[in-house]
Amino acid sequence: MPRRPILLALLVAALTTAGVLLVVRAGSGPAEDRVAVGRPAPAIVGTTLDGSSFDLASLRGKPVVVNFWGPSCVPCRDEFPLLASKQAEHAADGFTVVGVLADDPVEPARDFVAQYGGDWETVVDPDKAIKAAYRVAARPQTYFVDRSGVVRSIQIGEVTDADFERQYQRIRQ
């Protein structure tokens, strides 16, 4: 097999990774307004898929995972059952998942949640303000937020069982 296509593919992958990292690290405001590990999680206030009001601040005192997803995102669909099982497994800790619907219409998301049984709140982000505040580079993108509301870990891409458990330990206490 010729080496040129492989090298080109590696170059494209490296440039894509560098671009994602630049988007995540860059911000459009002062450094103190940027989402970052060790800083308070930006506010999430809005309406959920079922029309209820939601405020992330109401979950203070609980470990929380904020997951930016959408039903058209294949890795999001793949990690959905894992998040459901982890919420059940860590329920005694008060753990909860918060979804943020990013880049997809509401109806397919409602249908997906009804079919696959995610019982956590998913906030609709029609103007992409929440997505911008969290500087979401790709879906899924997941934030592990401790009981005091501080981001302790950020993962771009699908969360695996090992990823989840490693990062959950940072917010459990």
Side-chain angles (χ1 to χ4, degrees), residues 24 31 40 42 55 63 78 80-81 84 94 102 114 120 122 153 156-157 172:
V24 170
D55 187 345
D78 291 344
F80 201 86
W120 55 85
T122 291
S153 184
I156 300 171
R172 185 179 195 161

Side-chain angles (χ1 to χ4, degrees), residues 3-19:
R3 298 179 92 199
R4 188 175 185 136
I6 294 170
L7 292 174
L8 183 59
L10 288 172
L11 178 62
V12 168
L15 290 173
T16 301
T17 301

